Amino acid sequence: MARIVVLGAGGQVGRSIVAEAVRRGHEVTAVDQDQNALKGVPRQATAVTGDVTGRDMVQQQAQNADVVVVALAGCTRPEHANTARAVVEVANKLGAKAPAVIHIGNGGLLENADGERIVDTQEFPAAERKEALDQADALDVLRAAKHNLKWTCVVPPPRNFGPGRRREAYRTAGDRPVTDAQGNIGISYEDFAFAVLDEVEKPRFRNKRYTVGY
């Protein structure tokens, strides 16, 4: 059993990760700045209301955790990057006692078939561009961190990502979305959470970014 803290647990992805972690028997702390949003997390998790982008809150939760999952949703620039900076600062302070960090990234930062970032294409929704670019800044912060920080960035598909059926199935890829035989991409929140917890329990992508899909 691992002690897992989920920052941004009130969002749809965060709640799915909390639910999967509880299902597997882990000790889970669900943190979100919106108290009402936390009403949707499983009762087996410990709900905490607070600023998930602040160093004090991150340190308070991280010092007793094995893994911190950063799953912020609907943020505006620079909240993702600020949270990444807080996580790095706290990890440097805790040293060898620092928890592993799993950061939930943005599918817009993956590449299309031409090697172009999806966020930089005309097809990418303009309303989502600021958050994707903030996620790019957060990834840069993690990549620049000292080697004693154990981090992983798990990226969902850039589209067809939403509620669905828990199939306990997924595939992984590097910088481009996972595609099936027909060229389709996508995954449910439930199976994305399944993949995240697999990485929590048996890390395979330390200090790397990767993506998952069917």
Side-chain angles (χ1 to χ4, degrees):
M1 180 181 71
R3 295 168 297 177
I4 302 171
V5 172
V6 181
L7 303 179
Q12 290 180 305
V13 175
R15 285 199 302 270
S16 297
I17 292 170
V18 170
E20 181 66 27
V22 167
R23 182 193 292 265
R24 298 192 187 196
H26 296 292
E27 179 183 326
V28 186
T29 300
V31 186
D32 200 278
Q33 60 189 12
D34 185 351
Q35 187 175 14
N36 290 328
L38 288 172
K39 294 179 180 178
V41 303
R43 59 179 178 79
Q44 297 94 328
T46 299
V48 176
T49 305
D51 180 11
V52 297
T53 67
R55 182 185 59 80
D56 291 342
M57 174 58 73
V58 172
Q59 180 170 335
Q60 180 183 347
Q61 298 302 325
Q63 60 190 358
N64 295 313
D66 299 308
V67 180
V68 172
V69 179
V70 182
L72 308 190
C75 293
T76 56
R77 208 169 189 177
E79 289 178 304
H80 287 291
N82 284 346
T83 301
R85 293 185 186 99
V87 166
V88 170
E89 183 179 345
V90 168
N92 288 338
K93 185 174 182 178
L94 294 176
K97 296 182 179 180
V101 175
I102 295 186
H103 183 96
I104 307 306
N106 187 289
L109 302 183
L110 298 173
E111 298 175 358
N112 62 18
D114 297 323
E116 184 180 11
R117 283 195 318 180
I118 295 171
V119 68
D120 297 325
T121 64
Q122 292 184 349
E123 293 77 17
F124 192 80
E128 300 175 18
R129 186 164 284 118
K130 285 185 178 180
E131 181 171 358
L133 293 176
D134 186 23
Q135 283 276 25
D137 293 341
L139 182 58
D140 286 343
V141 170
L142 294 174
R143 284 173 166 165
K146 296 180 180 179
H147 293 296
N148 62 347
L149 175 66
K150 302 183 293 290
W151 65 270
T152 304
C153 182
V154 190
V155 182
R159 61 179 185 274
N160 300 326
F161 180 48
R165 185 166 60 90
R166 185 176 183 268
R167 294 159 46 179
E168 299 186 9
Y170 64 91
R171 292 179 296 134
T172 64
D175 293 327
R176 296 185 180 181
V178 175
T179 59
D180 64 15
Q182 289 73 43
N184 300 315
I185 64 173
I187 197 169
S188 68
Y189 289 149
E190 291 80 0
D191 280 328
F192 182 78
F194 186 84
V196 170
L197 264 295
D198 277 356
E199 180 65 20
V200 167
E201 295 177 345
K202 295 181 179 180
R204 294 189 298 148
F205 297 94
R206 274 283 157 78
N207 296 73
K208 294 180 181 179
R209 178 186 69 171
Y210 74 104
T211 186
V212 299
Y214 291 132

